[in-house]
Amino acid sequence: MRFLLVEDTAELARSVQDLLRLNGHAVDWAATLADAGDCLAAASYDLILLDIALPDGDGRRFLQDLRRAGQDMPVIMMTARSAVADRVDALDGGADDYLTKPFDLAELEARARAVLRRRGGAAQTVRGFADLTFDPLTATLTVAGEARELRNRELRLFEILLGAPERIFSKDQLCDRLFSFAETVTDNAIEVYVGRLRRKLEGSRARIETVRGLGYRLTGA
């Protein structure tokens, strides 16, 4: 998954980035609303983590502008303001969740997973496809009763493909979802992760198919 973190406190931003990257997510950091706007113009995000009090404006106004512009990606507000009125304003303004500072980083990631599940319409954590089952919380893929652990980017890549079976994803689309602007990505990076994931799927009817000239798709046919 690719996250946009809009937060002006550098120490907190680094901590959040380190946690999310450790779990295989790509994270772009914007310290101002202007920088956040530039990021949104250049990339697509699965989730925005948005502070309220920023040097160049109010995150709630920024969120309202996003919603009016038709941007519907999930947003979690992060703020030191704990009053009920502040939470109501944020949620009514289009936020999917609200987290009061200081917060535990594990809670932030758990809330992010919950928001993404709700937005994806997933009522349950464990998902099935063809003859395999997948539990994102334990990063476990089960093929014919055999558990196979997915590592970081393998996990994130599989989540993307599993979220839209039979859909073709180009290399550029996968790079956009898996890597941040700060990361150096080689031309064959996607091929490497696809190859690793294919090995984890061996023995299953589900497979990652290469569509020549277009990209990759998860198919169970």
Side-chain angles (χ1 to χ4, degrees):
M1 299 292 179
R2 188 166 182 174
F3 291 66
L4 174 60
L5 172 63
V6 189
E7 167 61 55
D8 64 324
T9 303
E11 184 177 357
L12 174 59
R14 283 193 294 269
S15 296
V16 172
Q17 283 181 298
D18 288 345
L19 172 73
L20 295 175
R21 286 173 176 168
L22 183 65
N23 288 293
H25 299 290
V27 187
D28 292 318
W29 173 36
T32 66
L33 294 176
D35 289 344
D38 290 341
C39 288
L40 286 167
S44 299
Y45 294 94
D46 298 288
L47 178 68
I48 299 176
L49 303 172
L50 177 62
D51 192 10
I52 286 182
L54 290 151
D56 55 347
D58 190 312
R60 291 171 298 186
R61 179 69 60 83
F62 181 78
L63 174 58
Q64 290 169 4
D65 290 343
L66 285 180
R67 296 307 190 219
R68 281 195 289 266
Q71 299 273 12
D72 65 349
M73 73 284 288
V75 174
I76 296 177
M77 303 297 295
M78 307 183 303
T79 179
R81 302 178 183 181
S82 59
V84 172
D86 291 319
R87 295 198 296 271
V88 170
D89 285 346
L91 294 169
D92 283 347
D96 293 85
D97 202 353
Y98 185 103
L99 198 55
T100 302
K101 299 175 184 177
F103 51 78
D104 188 283
L105 293 176
E107 180 183 3
L108 171 63
E109 190 180 27
R111 285 177 178 263
R113 288 195 301 265
V115 165
L116 290 168
R117 284 200 303 270
R118 291 198 300 268
R119 280 301 192 99
Q124 56 186 13
T125 301
V126 178
R127 301 184 61 185
F129 179 75
D131 57 350
L132 59 81
T133 57
F134 172 61
D135 186 344
L137 295 183
T138 61
T140 301
L141 178 69
T142 303
V143 178
E146 178 186 347
R148 302 176 185 182
E149 183 178 343
L150 300 179
R151 299 175 59 85
N152 294 336
R153 288 261 163 75
E154 297 170 1
L155 170 62
R156 304 309 166 198
L157 174 60
F158 188 63
E159 286 179 323
I160 293 168
L161 296 173
L162 183 62
E166 304 298 342
R167 172 184 167 182
I168 299 171
F169 290 89
S170 69
K171 282 188 178 181
D172 286 343
Q173 288 173 323
L174 293 175
C175 278
D176 186 60
R177 296 280 296 276
L178 289 170
F179 301 99
S180 67
F181 292 125
E183 295 176 278
T184 301
V185 184
T186 61
D187 290 340
N188 69 338
I190 295 299
E191 294 177 13
V192 170
Y193 287 112
V194 167
R196 292 178 182 175
L197 187 53
R198 278 176 169 152
R199 288 193 288 274
K200 298 292 177 69
L201 293 175
E202 287 178 356
S204 170
R205 293 199 313 272
R207 68 185 190 282
I208 301 173
E209 181 181 63
T210 299
V211 182
R212 188 176 299 275
L214 296 177
Y216 304 95
R217 66 181 173 190
L218 180 67
T219 181

